[in-house]
Amino acid sequence: EACTNKMKIAIMLLIFGLLVCMGSIMAEGSGPLDQFVKYTSPSGIYAANAQLCPNFNAANETMCASACLGNTSCVSFAYLANQQVCGLNQYNMLYTVVQGGGPTMAYYLRILPRDNTPAAQKVKYHLMTPTRGVTLGASSVLANTFNNALEYLSMFPVDDLLYFFRMRAGDMHPPGQCWGWDQNLKGSIAGLFMMGTGNAMRWAHNDTLLSNMNMVVTGIKKAQQENGYIMAYYENETKTHENPDYVLSWVTHGLIEASIAGNPDALQLIRDHITWFNYNPYLPEFMPPDTVNAPPEYGAAEGHLIYLIYQGIIHNTRMALTPLGLKRDVDVVQTLYQENDWLRQLIARNTSGIWQKHWFPHNYEVTAFEAYLDMYVLTGNSTYLDAVTGAWEMFMTSFIHVGGSMAINEGSPSMWYPPGSYYLECTYGDVAKHVDDDEDVPHATPACSGPSLHSHALDPRIEAAADCHPTGETCGSVFWMKLNQRFHKLFPDEEKYVTEIEREIYNVIVANQDGGRGNRYFANLHKYKQASTNVGSCCESQGVRAWSSLPEYLYSYSSDGIYIDIYSMSSINWTYNAVPISMTVQTTFPSSGDVSVSVSPSSPLVFEIALRCPSWVSSGKAIPVSLNGVIVANMSAGSYAKISRTWSGHDTLHFTLPLGFRASNYTGASQIPPYHRYALEYGPILLALTGPWDAGTESIVMKGVDITRPEEWLVPVAGQALHFSVKGLPGYTYMPYYEISSQIFEVFPIIMH
């Protein structure tokens, strides 16, 4: 808001007073300009638009510097010599170009002293996530997915992963070669590999993968500069493309996971780099707007190809929550990344803040929600919690498909995803390749020419429509899982958050995996699944991050004992009050809801077991839980049943979760008038219908069935769990969406009663 005239006068008087006060200080030591780094650019410079007040007249830069030093919230100023105008500013997300250039314009960033104050976690989690001790049962859906992740990770040669790190360190002819997304997002595939392998090595022992992960970390350490810098791109490339956001986040996740897996150097490496990042004098330049799609009023001239600045917040908050986290990590979020107007939109449940965010909305907004929830934990400021809660509610009501996949993707004014649009009719066959057009970067690198191993031909049956609205991006679902995991740790008894994790796992994470070959970018819900890739894409990165961390979602530790969150054949070994405990879950879920839990502490011990009763259970009645054959509790849908007692070495809990069908009428934009389309779920599992394709409607049509009573016309197929034939319609079969591979299918077929 513009300052009033009285405010202008008051501020000018304040500045005058500051100049007088600063005069004696400047006379004794260095001048005020010595406390700033000067930057000039003939093409203009990005500065924040959230100024303390409108520009004011100043005879020289020294006056501006003195005024800025007199205000603790001022971190920079811009000076236009030809107009003798000074503009103080704080970091803020909505950038604008300061007009001018060459000798008439200068930008000054305040030099901040290093502050090694540790980050404080003001809000404590009520639950902790296991980092060891969980074993997935052989041949379960989740175990197969996890093992496929190990196969996928085995395809990455260490020399290829370190290719650009070594080149940036001075070896212009390093061993290996670059390929895939590393061509334009240098070092991102190393982040992918460390995310996947670091997670996987917490649960499984694989000498080759563990050795490769450690060699990657060692290679990065050898390429580290004296100032702490470790990235594969050159320092002066930090502001280009998605380097300060996407790539830095990927490498941050990867090194943190490698550290948790036991690598002794990984955490200090990323600490050193983020410290370099946090104190870099050109930090505001790392976050400029879009070069191509930004509306003219934003003054786009250079910088990122896409506006995804908000995907970078997570590297600072994840760092802050490690044992090496610093207060400066939090400060940079608050002074540079944080978008207060956006937070206000989210608190107000204004859906424009989701699907019309500036000029480039995206499901990557969800990773910013993760970071803002971290900020609540770090600061205790409930504004963050209120904003993220608002975002969660808006996604739940308007931007998530039946089954859990993201109904919003990269958008622009020509391709919005309005609330409730739920687009289906995009059989998007290929993914847009990142193209780096920063031709003026001094350190040019040769084009990638990767081996044929790292590409899959597209399925020729998949139609790539240029004007379609793809949905179901894997990345968004992984971010959504991670967000809901954070909520669950804060609010353990809000079962809805675990329901979201569970359906993302089965209906997107498992469903988009293509064995050990690769991952599908989008979870198409219509006609054909997308062909998979193994080119190191964003969705492969987040896909393998999720596959390799599956064990951590099954259980949570509490101060009173343990929560069993997701039922899958598994076991866990942990210690409570210094007593080792083994627990085994026996189940064929999701094929059956029958569950047995064997509890074996090494000596009798009092603790609590919280059993989740999912919100999708089909019975409206209480579900009995027996202990050694005697009913000891009753569960109700959407809650946890807590059993606290002295457990011995031979205790067994047993219960059965009723699985049932749920039909959902399609309400989105991809209607086929005058027909109605419906999806079916069985428990948390999204079902897909295979059968004759109707060219006239471009769908599968079923006639003579009552969608409100699917149990009357669906017949279990013998020997094939969760497969159902349709009574009276030969050739029609429902099966889990995650089992669909090359078949033609429909999640929302046309139903004619």
Side-chain angles (χ1 to χ4, degrees):
E1 298 179 0
C3 297
T4 63
N5 290 333
K6 291 183 179 180
M7 290 175 64
K8 292 180 181 178
I9 294 172
I11 291 172
M12 292 304 296
L13 290 173
L14 173 62
I15 293 171
F16 177 78
L18 289 170
L19 292 174
V20 172
C21 293
M22 291 297 297
S24 58
I25 298 174
M26 288 184 285
E28 297 174 4
S30 62
L33 282 177
D34 294 330
Q35 300 182 54
F36 292 81
V37 172
K38 182 178 180 180
Y39 181 85
T40 59
S41 169
S43 60
I45 180 67
Y46 291 98
N49 75 333
Q51 295 175 350
L52 304 181
C53 70
N55 296 342
F56 61 90
N57 295 329
N60 53 52
E61 293 99 321
T62 301
M63 293 181 65
C64 300
S66 299
C68 188
L69 291 171
N71 190 310
T72 57
S73 61
C74 180
V75 293
S76 61
F77 68 87
Y79 185 71
L80 287 86
N82 58 340
Q83 300 177 31
Q84 292 191 324
V85 170
C86 178
L88 307 183
N89 68 83
Q90 297 171 305
Y91 293 143
N92 189 280
M93 275 308 310
L94 188 56
Y95 288 88
T96 183
V97 175
V98 177
Q99 296 302 317
T104 65
M105 185 278 298
Y107 174 76
Y108 290 81
L109 181 71
R110 190 170 179 174
I111 299 172
L112 299 175
R114 293 291 176 97
D115 182 356
N116 292 323
T117 303
Q121 184 176 337
K122 296 296 181 65
V123 177
K124 302 303 179 184
Y125 289 120
H126 295 291
L127 298 178
M128 296 302 294
T129 300
T131 59
R132 294 285 193 283
V134 180
T135 302
L136 297 174
S139 300
S140 68
V141 173
L142 300 191
N144 290 338
T145 303
F146 180 86
N147 291 333
N148 288 338
L150 302 183
E151 181 182 347
Y152 170 82
L153 289 165
S154 69
M155 295 189 293
F156 292 84
V158 170
D159 285 337
D160 290 1
L161 298 174
L162 292 173
Y163 184 82
F164 280 120
F165 290 94
R166 290 165 170 165
M167 183 175 288
R168 191 264 303 150
D171 182 356
M172 299 312 293
H173 302 285
Q177 57 189 330
C178 83
W179 50 269
W181 282 37
D182 245 19
Q183 178 171 3
N184 302 304
L185 297 166
K186 301 180 183 74
S188 65
I189 300 182
L192 175 159
F193 180 80
M194 291 186 293
M195 278 191 274
T197 306
N199 278 323
M201 294 303 97
R202 295 188 280 139
W203 322 108
H205 186 76
N206 183 302
D207 288 335
T208 300
L209 286 178
L210 181 60
S211 175
N212 288 352
M213 181 192 76
N214 289 332
M215 284 193 287
V216 170
V217 176
T218 299
I220 293 173
K221 184 177 181 180
K222 288 181 178 178
Q224 185 176 25
Q225 298 177 179
E226 289 186 5
N227 61 2
Y229 186 91
I230 67 169
M231 289 295 121
Y233 47 83
Y234 294 92
E235 285 189 57
N236 65 342
E237 292 179 301
T238 300
K239 71 175 184 177
T240 63
H241 205 36
E242 298 176 61
N243 288 338
D245 308 317
Y246 177 103
V247 181
L248 180 50
S249 293
W250 263 222
V251 175
T252 299
H253 289 313
L255 286 170
I256 290 175
E257 306 308 347
S259 172
I260 296 172
N263 185 280
D265 298 319
L267 191 60
Q268 188 62 57
L269 280 172
I270 193 59
R271 171 69 278 162
D272 292 344
H273 183 85
I274 290 183
T275 296
W276 172 89
F277 181 90
N278 286 344
Y279 289 97
N280 193 284
Y282 304 120
L283 187 59
E285 280 196 278
F286 297 165
M287 316 297 155
D290 187 300
T291 61
V292 179
N293 299 314
E297 59 266 27
Y298 291 100
E302 62 178 64
H304 292 213
L305 293 178
I306 52 179
Y307 184 91
L308 285 177
I309 300 167
Y310 44 79
Q311 74 178 345
I313 312 176
I314 193 69
H315 54 64
N316 268 49
T317 62
R318 277 217 74 189
M319 187 73 245
L321 286 168
T322 71
L324 299 184
L326 298 177
K327 178 178 177 291
R328 176 64 178 165
D329 300 325
V330 180
D331 292 343
V332 167
V333 173
Q334 292 180 317
T335 57
L336 176 66
Y337 279 106
Q338 185 168 309
E339 299 176 84
N340 292 331
D341 286 344
W342 192 30
L343 293 176
R344 283 189 284 268
Q345 279 186 306
L346 300 177
I347 291 171
R349 277 59 171 176
N350 181 347
T351 56
S352 294
I354 305 296
W355 71 284
Q356 291 180 311
K357 182 182 182 338
H358 293 335
W359 60 91
F360 204 89
H362 199 314
N363 59 66
Y364 267 70
E365 294 167 18
V366 180
T367 200
F369 305 153
E370 292 180 71
Y372 281 135
L373 200 53
D374 290 346
M375 289 295 288
Y376 165 67
V377 169
L378 287 160
T379 67
N381 187 335
S382 62
T383 298
Y384 298 115
L385 176 62
D386 293 343
V388 179
T389 300
W392 190 92
E393 292 174 0
M394 287 188 285
F395 262 78
M396 284 294 296
T397 57
S398 301
F399 299 102
I400 293 183
H401 283 296
V402 171
S405 62
M406 292 285 113
I408 183 173
N409 195 54
E410 299 180 49
S412 66
S414 62
M415 190 180 287
W416 291 129
Y417 289 79
S421 52
Y422 304 123
Y423 290 107
L424 298 176
E425 310 312 327
C426 181
T427 49
Y428 204 66
D430 199 359
V431 295
K433 300 299 189 297
H434 287 271
V435 178
D436 190 350
D437 65 353
D438 296 299
E439 302 290 347
D440 59 341
V441 174
H443 299 285
T445 53
C448 290
S449 56
S452 59
L453 160 69
H454 299 292
S455 63
H456 286 150
L458 293 174
D459 187 329
R461 296 170 302 181
I462 294 178
E463 306 162 46
D467 59 348
C468 69
H469 288 73
T471 61
E473 183 173 340
T474 302
C475 292
S477 286
V478 178
F479 302 148
W480 188 246
M481 285 171 58
K482 294 295 185 182
L483 175 63
N484 280 279
Q485 184 182 45
R486 285 167 166 81
F487 269 123
H488 180 48
K489 290 163 65 176
L490 289 168
F491 307 105
D493 297 328
E494 294 283 344
E495 184 275 338
K496 61 187 179 182
Y497 300 123
V498 181
T499 286
E500 290 306 298
I501 296 171
E502 183 177 55
R503 67 176 184 163
E504 296 297 336
I505 287 174
Y506 284 107
N507 302 328
V508 181
I509 305 308
V510 174
N512 273 2
Q513 187 186 65
D514 183 16
R517 299 173 69 237
N519 187 68
R520 301 175 180 92
Y521 203 99
F522 298 116
N524 293 343
L525 300 179
H526 164 76
K527 198 171 185 179
Y528 288 114
K529 278 192 174 179
Q530 186 187 31
S532 67
T533 65
N534 55 4
V535 295
S537 72
C538 60
C539 288
E540 292 170 46
S541 301
Q542 293 303 317
V544 75
R545 181 187 182 199
W547 306 333
S548 58
S549 63
L550 286 173
E552 76 177 43
Y553 302 104
L554 306 187
Y555 305 92
S556 302
Y557 302 132
S558 73
S559 59
D560 298 319
I562 193 167
Y563 278 57
I564 305 181
D565 295 315
I566 294 176
Y567 300 106
S568 180
M569 180 77 76
S570 61
S571 62
I572 182 171
N573 294 288
W574 88 104
T575 300
Y576 182 76
N577 286 347
V579 177
I581 305 169
S582 294
M583 179 183 289
T584 300
V585 173
Q586 296 282 346
T587 182
T588 59
F589 189 87
S591 301
S592 165
D594 195 62
V595 180
S596 292
V597 181
S598 299
V599 187
S600 300
S602 61
S603 60
L605 181 68
V606 176
F607 64 94
E608 181 179 85
I609 297 177
L611 301 172
R612 171 175 167 251
C613 187
S615 53
W616 46 255
V617 297
S618 60
S619 173
K621 302 177 182 179
I623 299 168
V625 179
S626 66
L627 173 64
N628 304 328
V630 179
I631 294 176
V632 294
N634 287 290
M635 298 194 296
S636 58
S639 66
Y640 280 84
K642 298 180 179 180
I643 303 171
S644 182
R645 66 184 303 274
T646 300
W647 301 91
S648 65
H650 304 285
D651 287 329
T652 300
L653 295 164
H654 180 266
F655 53 92
T656 300
L657 301 173
L659 293 162
F661 296 102
R662 296 188 313 283
S664 299
N665 180 32
Y666 179 68
T667 59
S670 301
Q671 299 289 340
I672 306 176
Y675 307 110
H676 295 285
R677 310 174 72 177
Y678 291 87
L680 279 180
E681 296 168 279
Y682 188 70
I685 306 303
L686 180 66
L687 299 179
L689 177 64
T690 62
W693 189 258
D694 181 70
T697 59
E698 273 293 295
S699 185
I700 296 176
V701 179
M702 284 201 304
K703 298 180 180 179
V705 299
D706 183 353
I707 194 62
T708 65
R709 301 176 183 273
E711 65 281 355
E712 295 181 356
W713 46 269
L714 287 178
V715 181
V717 177
Q720 292 183 277
L722 300 179
H723 285 232
F724 304 91
S725 62
V726 180
K727 189 183 298 184
L729 293 176
Y732 290 77
T733 302
Y734 273 100
M735 66 179 67
Y737 173 71
Y738 64 72
E739 289 191 12
I740 293 290
S741 179
S742 60
Q743 308 97 313
I744 197 167
F745 75 95
E746 187 68 271
V747 166
F748 285 93
I750 293 172
I751 305 295
M752 297 184 183
H753 183 54

